[in-house]
Amino acid sequence: MGFAVGIVALLVGVIVNWAIVVAGGVIAAIFGFLWVRDLARARGLTEAPEPEPEERDGRGSARPAAAAPTYGRSAFLEVSTLGVGAVIGGLVTVPALAFMTLPAFLKQKSGAHDIGPLEEFPEGIFVVATFMSKPEEGEVSRRTAFVRNNGVLNGKPSFTVISNHCAHLGCPVQPLTNVAVPHKEYKDVTLIPLKTAPSGFSCPCHGGAYDTEGNRTAGPPVRALDRYAFSIIHGHLYLEAPYSVAEVHGTGATAQITKYPLSFPGEHVDGIESLLYPIQPPH
Ligand code: FES
């Protein structure tokens, strides 16, 4: 029963939450081990037979002890059938599951994207950067990020990189300020420095509003704007995979951010509401 409960929890967890998958796997492993151990004990496969006392004949010489007891054929067949079945089941199901699930995680893993030399990102200024996340797919893959150079913290450069996907239904949010011209082009990247610091970001679809850290301040969005991880390689700023954020505490270089797997718009990423959403592959 314990093993069955673990398997059910594992399968339900695949739909609901990774934590339940882990808990189900642990339960199944523990009860599976106990099951096999009990089965082996019940069949006398784990206990060595008691040594037969040496018998002596009338003249005092030792007679050979009776042959050691052997185990029943049915016990051997039962355990070996269970083991062979487990091996065959694993050989059939593990590759199939891997082929079904791994591509979703591997193919959608985007590489870092060079969006330009650091000089293009003056400290304290938001720059709107549009770039093709998958150049081989062309303009349809164009994405937008709001990038602000926060200066240096503890010897490391700090950037705020906010996605323009509204956390309500995914409409493109806009910075609340004027946009400077001319734009700058770098490879497939367009860089648009903002004339003045925006007071925040707003969404034209349903009135969602965010502050300059991407925190929701009004409207229907359920969390802060997503962000991009970044790295600096040979003096260029590279955007890496985006991630979701529930709320940003603090501002700029000292902001405290908890990173969640990228989630669809409208999904809570923390709190009890997050349990209501099925697991999403990275996207
Ligand atoms: S999509 Fe932005 S508020 Fe609805």
Side-chain angles (χ1 to χ4, degrees):
M1 282 299 296
F3 181 73
V5 167
I7 294 294
V8 169
L10 194 150
L11 294 175
V12 170
V14 168
I15 301 170
V16 177
N17 193 292
W18 285 115
I20 301 175
V21 172
V22 173
V26 170
I27 292 171
I30 291 172
F31 281 95
F33 170 76
L34 294 176
W35 184 20
V36 171
R37 192 189 63 173
D38 288 350
L39 191 63
R41 273 191 182 157
R43 300 298 177 191
L45 294 181
T46 59
E47 292 163 8
E50 289 290 323
E52 289 280 328
E54 221 174 44
E55 292 183 31
R56 295 187 175 272
D57 57 20
R59 289 172 294 187
S61 14
R63 286 197 303 207
T70 54
Y71 301 107
R73 180 181 297 177
S74 63
F76 169 76
L77 286 176
E78 191 168 336
V79 174
S80 58
T81 303
L82 198 63
V84 171
V87 170
I88 292 175
L91 288 176
V92 170
T93 54
V94 170
L97 282 176
F99 278 115
M100 277 194 297
T101 56
L102 285 183
F105 291 88
L106 297 178
K107 282 184 183 172
Q108 298 179 45
K109 191 173 181 180
S110 54
H113 198 99
D114 179 6
I115 62 166
L118 294 184
E119 307 84 75
E120 300 294 349
F121 302 94
E123 190 171 330
I125 304 272
F126 262 112
V127 176
V128 182
T130 76
F131 59 98
M132 284 191 270
S133 59
K134 294 178 182 171
E136 69 278 10
E137 293 181 5
E139 288 293 331
V140 74
S141 71
R142 188 165 285 280
R143 299 287 180 268
T144 300
F146 305 120
V147 183
R148 184 186 59 206
N149 182 349
N150 298 319
V152 176
L153 180 70
N154 298 329
K156 292 182 179 175
S158 164
F159 283 84
T160 294
V161 187
I162 299 175
S163 165
N164 79 328
H165 275 178
C166 182
H168 177 220
L169 293 177
C171 284
V173 303
Q174 311 289 327
L176 293 170
T177 186
N178 295 325
V179 174
V181 285
H183 304 167
K184 295 185 179 178
E185 303 290 336
Y186 171 75
K187 296 183 182 175
D188 63 311
V189 181
T190 301
L191 299 173
I192 311 168
L194 299 183
K195 263 183 188 171
T196 53
S199 56
F201 304 95
S202 73
C203 179
C205 291
H206 313 101
Y210 305 87
D211 66 16
T212 51
E213 292 299 324
N215 281 322
R216 172 198 169 277
T217 54
V222 299
R223 61 174 198 259
L225 291 169
D226 297 335
R227 291 198 174 208
Y228 283 91
F230 70 89
S231 55
I232 294 166
I233 303 171
H234 301 310
H236 283 228
L237 181 61
Y238 282 75
L239 298 195
E240 299 181 359
Y243 59 92
S244 288
V245 177
E247 189 180 2
V248 177
H249 299 280
T251 58
T254 57
Q256 302 291 308
I257 303 168
T258 300
K259 187 176 177 179
Y260 292 91
L262 185 63
S263 302
F264 284 118
E267 289 188 3
H268 292 264
V269 293
D270 69 345
I272 195 149
E273 299 100 326
S274 64
L275 298 176
L276 301 174
Y277 298 92
I279 294 171
Q280 304 289 348
H283 56 85

